[in-house]
Amino acid sequence: MLPEAFLERMRGMLGEEYGAFLESFRGEHARGLSLNPRKIGIDGRSAAERFGVHGAAEGENILGFAGLTGVPWARNGYYYRSCDQPGKHPFHDAGLYYIQEPSAMMPVGLMDIQPGERILDLCAAPGGKSVQIAAGLQGSGVLVCNEIHPARAKILSENIERMGIGNACVLNETPERLAEVFAGYFDRILVDAPCSGEGMFRRNEAACGEWSPEHVELCAARQDGILDCAAAMLRAGGRMVYSTCTFAPEEDEGSVSRFLRRHGEFGILPGDKERLGLLSCHGVPGYIDDPAPGLEGAVRLWPHRVRGEGHFAAVLGKEGIFLEGIRDYDRKSAVKRTSGESDRAVPAEFLLFCEENLSVSREDVPAGLGRITGLGGALRFLNFGDNLYLAPADMPSLKGLKVLRPGLHLGETKKNRFEPSHALALALAPGAAAHVRNLSSDDPAVSAYLGGQTFPAEGEKGWYLICVDGYGLGWGKLAAGSMKNHYPRGLRR
C-alpha cells in the first residue's frame, strides 16, 4: 500500500521507467550477507577466504546455503535465497558473516579505505557498514562508530563484538558533540544519514505508514545539520561519503547540493564506479532546482535496475593539503583520556592468563596480542575499573563522551583471577589458544552450548576456546570431566 503522494512524485521522476519501478514492488526483495575477512579459522584462513570466491566457486553449497552468488559492488558480499536462514546458523553467532541488504553494501565501496586510516561512521547502527569499513582497515588504524540513539548504540556495540573487530571505538553521542572534539581528525567519514526510508518500502511495509511529505522535509533538514558536523571533523584532503536509503530528491541530490553551497571547500568526486560496476547508476541533477555541479557522479540504485533496494550515495572531497604535523597537533590538543580510564599497570592476573592459555608471553604483550587478534600497529591497554581493553595507541579516548566500547575487551579481573571476555574469544585466532574444543556445526553440542548448557569433555583443566568448524565461538572452562559454559547469558538461544 504505497502512499499516493509518493507514487505521484515517482511517476514524475521516472517517466517511462515508472511501470518497471512499480512492478519491482511485486517481486521479492534481495537478501545478502557480507563474509568476514577478519575472522580467522584453525587452518589460518579467514571466513572470506574459505567460503568466498577465493575458496569456492559461486553457486556451490557455500556455508551450507546453495546458490550463494556475489554482489557486484561488494568484494565480500553475497546474495542468498529466501529459503535459507543464515541468522540461525552457528556461523552467524561466531561472526563469520553479517546479514546486510545488498544495496546497503554500496556506499563503503566508494570510500577508498586504506589500512592505517582514521575513519568515522557517524550514524553507524546497526553496524553493517562499520563491519565493511573494518575489513578495509585490515586490523590497523582507528574506527570510530557512533550512534545517537542509546538502544541502537547497544546493538551496534554487540555487532562490533560479534564480528571480532578490535580497532573500533563505539560511541553514543550527538554529531554536534563529536564535532567539538574531533576537529579535522578523520581521513574518511561515512554519513549514512537517517532518512525517510523510501528505498526500504519493499522490505518494510510499516515504513509506508510512517511516510509523509512533511517527514521527508524533516529528514532533509536533519541531514543538513549532520553533514555540517561531519564536514568539521574531516581533515583537509579527506573523503566523505553521504548515503541514504531513500528516493526523495530533497534528501539525495538536494542534500548534497545544499551542503556544497554552504561548504565551498568541498566538491563531488566521481568515485570508482567502473570497479564497482555502477557506471549506469548516476545521480540525476534534473530532479532538483539549482543542482550542484557534478551530481552525475553520485550513485542511485533502483530496485527495477539492480538486484537490491533503493539507495543513494555521493563522494564529497575536501580541498586542501594534508599535513601530518598539523593533524598530530590537533589530536594532541583535542584528544583526552576517557572518563574512568586508568594508567594502572597491566594486571598480573591477565599476564598469568596469557602464559597459561594463549601463545603470548609476559614479555610479548601487547604486540603478541595484536598478532593473534589481527590488530596491527602500536597498541596500548586501557583499564576501566576491573575491565581491561586493548586498543590502537592513538585510539581517541575522550573525556566526557559516552563510550560503550573503547577497543577490544579482553576481560575482567575477579577475585585475583582473570576471566576472558566473549569479545576476545570472537577476535582470537584459534591457533593461538592453548586449549581448543572444535565442534562440527551440525553437532547437537553446538546448539546446547549456544543455549548455555554444559557438556561432558575430557582433557587438561582450564580455559578452552570453543570453536565451530574451526572458528572461535566462545569460552568454556573444563574441570572434572565437564565443560562449564561461559557463553554470555544475554546471547543464549
Side-chain angles (χ1 to χ4, degrees), residues 356-379:
E356 294 179 345
N357 298 282
L358 304 176
S359 59
V360 177
S361 66
R362 291 173 179 260
E363 296 75 23
D364 196 28
V365 294
L369 285 170
R371 287 193 298 274
I372 64 176
T373 57
L375 293 176
L379 301 168

Side-chain angles (χ1 to χ4, degrees), residues 171-339:
L171 304 178
N172 170 215
E173 277 297 347
T174 66
E176 291 80 7
R177 179 71 183 106
L178 294 182
E180 293 175 1
V181 177
F182 285 116
Y185 181 82
F186 294 102
D187 302 297
R188 302 279 188 272
I189 296 178
L190 175 64
V191 180
D192 187 43
C195 67
S196 57
E198 296 172 1
M200 296 295 115
F201 280 177
R202 184 166 63 169
R203 289 173 54 92
N204 182 10
E205 292 184 7
C208 296
E210 300 170 359
W211 184 92
S212 70
E214 293 75 22
H215 184 54
V216 170
E217 293 178 3
L218 179 65
C219 289
R222 184 187 299 130
Q223 290 153 7
D224 289 348
I226 294 172
L227 279 169
D228 288 345
C229 292
M233 292 185 275
L234 190 68
R235 55 101 165 158
R239 172 180 292 222
M240 177 165 67
V241 172
Y242 170 76
S243 66
T244 74
C245 59
T246 189
F247 303 116
E250 301 96 316
E251 302 178 65
D252 295 342
E253 289 90 351
S255 282
V256 171
S257 293
R258 293 191 304 274
F259 172 78
L260 294 176
R261 285 195 290 271
R262 296 191 305 273
H263 296 272
E265 73 277 22
F266 279 83
I268 298 176
L269 302 178
D272 193 353
K273 290 186 181 183
E274 183 174 1
R275 176 178 58 85
L276 299 174
L278 299 170
L279 285 175
S280 62
C281 303
H282 51 77
V284 185
Y287 286 165
I288 61 171
D289 296 328
D290 195 16
L295 276 176
E296 298 86 352
V299 176
R300 267 189 178 269
L301 299 185
W302 297 96
H304 63 288
R305 293 186 185 177
V306 302
R307 191 179 172 191
E309 305 310 299
H311 229 87
F312 172 88
V315 184
L316 303 169
K318 189 173 186 179
E319 295 178 353
I321 299 174
F322 169 52
L323 300 175
E324 181 68 38
I326 291 178
R327 186 177 68 175
D328 283 349
Y329 171 80
D330 288 343
R331 194 184 81 80
K332 290 174 182 177
S333 64
V335 177
K336 309 296 180 184
R337 292 203 176 278
T338 303
S339 178

